[in-house]
Amino acid sequence: MSNLYGHVEVTPPASEPVTTAEFKSWSRIDTSADDTLIAALITTAREWAEVYTSRSFINTTWDYSLDSFAGVIRLPRSPLSSVTSITYVDTGGSSQVLATSVYRVDSAREPGRITLEYGQSWPSVRYVTNNVTIRYVAGYGADATSVPERVKSAIKHYAADMYEHREAVLEMKFTHKNKTAMNLLESFRVTDVGV
């Protein structure tokens, strides 16, 4: 996935929440002629649902870049699984890794956030763009078994809609909003993301 406001996907999910076989069974498709197209539509539906909800469904590694440290850093994708590292450029121009004793990771809230430990302060940084990079993992788990069923249903509905209108999808003219998928995902939407 592309860079979106200083947010870059480093390691994509290992699999999709919905397999091609599951989708075909759900949609009552009994031919294999469109398997490649169906797999692509499932990926597209998953990516749409992740953007719509500000979530990663299967564990995905992200880099989130900031110009400087802030009091509370809210990470753009939920649910937060872990923070791998926080790197920054110090005032002398050297790259540093922030000690884990300096900050706390709050994965109980959504969006997940990073705050200072008691008695700590953020280090001084060189004032340049994208100076601080937080590498973190977001997702429900390593595979589809952890993904909520309503999310899987939303992905199936959206992919089925695109499959039904595949000529428009192939011509990049698909603009239909699938209300069923949106309703299924509404309670999963995360707001107040980023710093």
Side-chain angles (χ1 to χ4, degrees), residues 17 46 49-50 53 55-59 139-141 147 151 155 185:
R46 188 250 316 152
E50 287 180 333
T53 61
R55 292 183 180 273
S56 291
F57 302 130
I58 293 178
N59 287 353
Y140 289 102
V147 179
V151 169
I155 290 169
L185 294 173

Side-chain angles (χ1 to χ4, degrees), residues 12-23 39 41-50 55-60 139-156 185:
S15 61
E16 293 296 337
V18 176
T19 67
T20 300
E22 288 171 324
F23 176 81
L41 294 177
I42 290 168
T43 299
T44 301
R46 188 250 316 152
E47 289 174 346
W48 167 82
E50 287 180 333
R55 292 183 180 273
S56 291
F57 302 130
I58 293 178
N59 287 353
T60 306
Y140 289 102
D143 58 41
T145 60
S146 305
V147 179
E149 286 301 320
R150 278 189 302 149
V151 169
K152 293 179 186 180
S153 292
I155 290 169
K156 290 174 191 172
L185 294 173

Side-chain angles (χ1 to χ4, degrees), residues 38-148:
I38 289 169
L41 294 177
I42 290 168
T43 299
T44 301
R46 188 250 316 152
E47 289 174 346
W48 167 82
E50 287 180 333
V51 169
Y52 185 72
T53 61
S54 297
R55 292 183 180 273
S56 291
F57 302 130
I58 293 178
N59 287 353
T60 306
T61 302
W62 294 93
D63 275 352
Y64 181 46
S65 298
L66 306 165
D67 293 343
S68 63
F69 287 105
V72 176
I73 300 169
R74 291 170 184 82
L75 297 171
R77 288 290 173 111
S78 293
L80 174 60
S81 178
S82 63
V83 172
T84 308
S85 65
I86 300 177
T87 58
Y88 65 97
V89 178
D90 66 19
T91 55
S94 298
S95 182
Q96 303 289 340
V97 177
L98 187 62
T100 56
S101 59
V102 173
Y103 61 92
R104 296 180 63 111
V105 175
D106 180 2
S107 59
R109 284 189 162 202
E110 289 189 343
R113 61 189 183 156
I114 299 170
T115 59
L116 283 169
E117 276 287 1
Y118 179 77
Q120 296 289 332
S121 59
W122 296 119
S124 298
V125 296
R126 179 170 279 201
Y127 291 103
V128 295
T129 56
N130 301 316
N131 185 9
V132 177
T133 301
I134 301 162
R135 179 161 289 183
Y136 71 100
V137 177
Y140 289 102
D143 58 41
T145 60
S146 305
V147 179

